[in-house]
């Protein structure tokens, strides 16, 4: 009997010790530690350590990792050169996918065996540092600006903003970014992580696995939703137009970006933090209307469809009020999710078996006849 489940819904496809989600209770935890606690008390660097090593770092371990990440923010000039040749209007996720693929040529551990755990960990550090630098450079190249060299005195979140804008962020903006990075760092077997694990499980290399993951994150049903949310808000334009817009969209059975989730049947715990951040940032920057519009959309979706906001809904207005170009939002998701992708790839390689499911065959009955060319 077929056990096929459309979209692999609720199918358990791996064992993992990284991320625990309870979709009915709205629980998300990394290595068992609740996301609310991590968002309030930790930093992105600490979360990287937790995801990669399975425990919170002590002071010495954290300092060491912070230094390692900081040292790995340099992108080979050849990759920047390649990026400068790409179309100025290219989708930043396409640029990121191409640049990460190109990084593999210049990685000092390029020829390491896929089962070399130390080399894999070094690649995880390097990719985490370099992806932030690539996303920042993507925005600068298309504005005909030079790259901003990394500042080793800054933590990952602040340095990313610095390399993007050339200005050190305010403490509020740094904190907002850091929390956004923590919230996006991992999410069990989401589509991009699964794609990365499938690639890694063939014993291909980590750059190939991360390139697969980036291509998967780009889609509007996954990470691409945060861009569509902001474009929708801009299209709606003002508070009074929210209700008619939604009425018409729902009547024509359109999906509203930033709502719904395959796993959560209640509030996405990441949305809880992002909603608060969005409210604070929108109000303090004189952009209250974006939060007000978002709030009405959320209330209407709950009332009309009983569907909750997901991680992408309020992250859109958070990034918007921080002055980030709308089409960069999904790439910023990748700046964080690289930590989770690499944690999962390392876990996969630590106990690997090829991932190769089956399909339920629905084609012509076997054996179908081969009709000669002249008779077709
Ligand atoms: N807007 C309106 N209706 C939605 C919806 C949304 N964003 N998300 C789900 N629904 C409805 C569907 O129309 C469907 O209703 P029906 O049973 O009456 O046909 C039902 O909820 C189930 O949706 P389905 O698409 O089958 O759920 P899924 O588990 O396959 O998809 C998502 C999950 C995330 C892909 C889906 O909710 C979606 O497309 N959301 C918008 C994109 C998004 O925000 N993605 C980021 C996810 S973190």
């Amino acid at each position: 009997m077929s056990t096929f489940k459309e979209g692999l819904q609720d199918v358990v496809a791996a064992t993992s010790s990284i991320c625990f989600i309870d979709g009915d209770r709205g629980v998300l935890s990394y290595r068992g530690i609740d996301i609310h606690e991590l968002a309030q008390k930790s930093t992105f660097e600490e979360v990287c350590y937790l995801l990669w090593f399975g425990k919170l770092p002590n002071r010495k371990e954290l300092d060491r990792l912070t230094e390692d990440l900081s040292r790995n923010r340099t992108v080979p000039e050849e990759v920047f050169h390649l990026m400068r040749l790409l179309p100025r209007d290219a989708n930043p996720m396409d640029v990121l996918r191409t640049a990460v693929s190109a990084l593999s040529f210049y990685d000092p551990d390029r020829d390491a065996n896929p089962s070399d755990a130390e080399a894999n960990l070094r690649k995880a550090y390097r990719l985490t540092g370099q992806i932030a630098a690539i996303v920042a450079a993507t925005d600068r190249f298309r504005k005909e600006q030079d790259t901003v060299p990394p500042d080793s005195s800054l933590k990952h979140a602040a340095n990313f903003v610095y390399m993007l804008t050339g200005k050190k962020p305010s403490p509020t903006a740094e904190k907002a970014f850091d929390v956004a990075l923590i919230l996006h760092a991992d999410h069990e077997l989401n589509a991009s992580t699964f794609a990365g694990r499938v690639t890694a499980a063939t014993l291909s290399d980590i750059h190939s696995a991360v390139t697969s993951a980036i291509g998967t994150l780009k889609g509007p049903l996954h990470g691409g939703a945060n861009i569509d949310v902001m474009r929708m808000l801009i299209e709606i334009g003002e508070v009074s137009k929210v209700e008619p817009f939604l009425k018409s969209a729902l009547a024509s059975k359109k999906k509203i970006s930033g709502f719904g989730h395959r796993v959560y049947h209640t509030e996405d715990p990441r949305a809880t933090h992002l909603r608060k951040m969005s409210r604070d940032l929108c109000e303090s920057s004189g952009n209250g209307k974006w939060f007000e519009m978002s709030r009405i959309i959320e209330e209407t979706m709950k009332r009309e469809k009983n569907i909750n906001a997901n991680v992408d809904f309020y992250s859109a207005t958070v990034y918007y009020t921080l002055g980030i170009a709308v089409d960069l939002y999904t790439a910023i998701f990748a700046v964080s999710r690289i930590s989770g992708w690499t944690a999962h790839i390392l876990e996969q390689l630590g106990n690997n078996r090829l991932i190769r499911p089956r399909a339920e065959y629905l084609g012509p009955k076997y054996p179908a006849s081969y009709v000669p060319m002249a008779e077709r």
Side-chain angles (χ1 to χ4, degrees):
M1 203 179 74
S2 165
T3 52
F4 168 63
K5 290 269 201 92
E6 203 167 322
L8 298 184
Q9 177 155 5
D10 296 329
V11 169
V12 175
T15 58
S16 177
S17 309
I18 300 173
C19 183
F20 169 73
I21 301 175
D22 182 332
D24 294 324
R25 290 192 295 141
V27 170
L28 165 62
S29 71
Y30 302 156
R31 304 280 187 187
I33 303 178
D34 195 276
I35 193 69
H36 296 305
E37 205 170 359
L38 290 169
Q40 280 159 20
K41 299 180 184 167
S42 76
T43 60
F44 180 64
E45 281 82 353
E46 261 192 276
V47 163
C48 286
Y49 192 98
L50 180 64
L51 293 173
W52 289 330
F53 296 99
K55 67 175 185 85
L56 287 172
N58 61 29
R59 171 56 54 202
K60 205 167 140 215
E61 289 162 336
L62 180 60
D63 289 348
R64 174 92 196 269
L65 182 81
T66 303
E67 206 187 303
D68 279 335
L69 285 181
S70 164
R71 256 193 293 113
N72 280 295
R73 291 169 180 161
T74 313
V75 173
E77 190 44 48
E78 291 87 341
V79 175
F80 277 159
H81 178 66
L82 171 69
M83 288 171 64
R84 284 193 195 94
L85 299 176
L86 299 174
R88 291 288 175 266
D89 62 352
N91 182 319
M93 286 299 278
D94 294 341
V95 176
L96 182 61
R97 191 192 59 224
T98 303
V100 166
S101 178
L103 279 178
S104 68
F105 299 116
Y106 309 102
D107 193 279
D109 290 305
R110 184 181 71 170
D111 299 321
N113 190 300
S115 60
D116 180 340
E118 289 298 314
N120 290 339
L121 198 53
R122 287 195 293 272
K123 287 184 188 181
Y125 293 168
R126 229 171 266 137
L127 278 163
T128 303
Q130 289 172 328
I131 280 185
I134 285 170
V135 174
T138 300
D139 198 45
R140 297 191 68 83
F141 289 151
R142 65 186 180 172
K143 295 177 182 159
E144 307 297 343
Q145 293 170 333
D146 280 335
T147 53
V148 176
D151 180 333
S152 60
S153 71
L154 298 177
K155 297 272 191 60
H156 197 72
N159 181 67
F160 169 66
V161 178
Y162 176 63
M163 291 182 85
L164 180 69
T165 63
K167 293 187 204 98
K168 292 183 185 167
S170 67
T172 314
E174 177 176 357
K175 181 70 189 155
F177 244 99
D178 194 51
V179 173
L181 293 181
I182 292 169
L183 295 174
H184 287 82
D186 193 46
H187 211 235
E188 200 217 46
L189 277 200
N190 61 91
S192 55
T193 302
F194 186 53
R197 283 188 83 130
V198 169
T199 304
T202 67
L203 296 184
S204 179
D205 63 292
I206 290 190
H207 288 80
S208 297
V210 172
T211 303
S212 298
I214 292 169
T216 310
L217 184 71
K218 178 186 167 193
L221 296 188
H222 190 8
N226 55 12
I227 292 179
D228 289 349
V229 169
M230 200 60 227
R231 288 190 173 144
M232 172 180 73
L233 289 171
I234 291 168
E235 186 192 333
I236 298 173
E238 51 192 89
V239 175
S240 64
K241 293 188 178 158
V242 170
E243 298 251 16
F245 175 93
L246 268 190
K247 218 171 161 187
S248 138
L250 292 177
S252 55
K253 300 251 171 249
K254 275 204 190 121
K255 290 261 188 85
I256 308 299
S257 292
F259 285 87
H261 201 275
R262 178 60 70 73
V263 179
Y264 293 118
H265 307 300
T266 181
E267 167 123 333
D268 178 335
R270 302 166 297 177
T272 315
H273 286 275
L274 289 160
R275 182 189 298 107
K276 185 177 176 311
M277 282 162 66
S278 167
R279 189 189 61 216
D280 293 350
L281 287 165
C282 284
E283 282 169 4
S284 63
S285 64
N287 280 299
K289 100 172 174 182
W290 301 117
F291 181 76
E292 185 56 13
M293 287 165 69
S294 306
R295 200 188 54 74
I296 300 172
I297 295 174
E298 191 180 19
E299 271 174 24
T300 313
M301 287 298 284
K302 190 77 191 154
R303 191 178 63 240
E304 301 290 324
K305 303 278 295 180
N306 196 25
I307 296 181
N308 294 293
N310 59 45
V311 67
D312 294 308
F313 188 61
Y314 282 107
S315 65
T317 38
V318 166
Y319 298 147
Y320 192 78
T321 49
L322 290 171
I324 310 282
V326 174
D327 65 352
L328 273 190
Y329 295 178
T330 314
I332 291 174
F333 194 147
V335 168
S336 164
R337 185 56 60 87
I338 181 62
S339 57
W341 286 335
T342 45
H344 278 269
I345 292 166
L346 298 177
E347 185 179 62
Q348 181 67 39
L349 292 172
N351 182 22
N352 192 52
R353 186 145 191 244
L354 179 74
I355 299 172
R356 201 299 188 192
R358 296 297 313 272
E360 181 183 340
Y361 179 67
L362 299 176
K365 191 166 166 35
Y366 174 84
S369 56
Y370 179 85
V371 181
M373 185 66 79
E375 294 171 28
R376 284 178 217 164

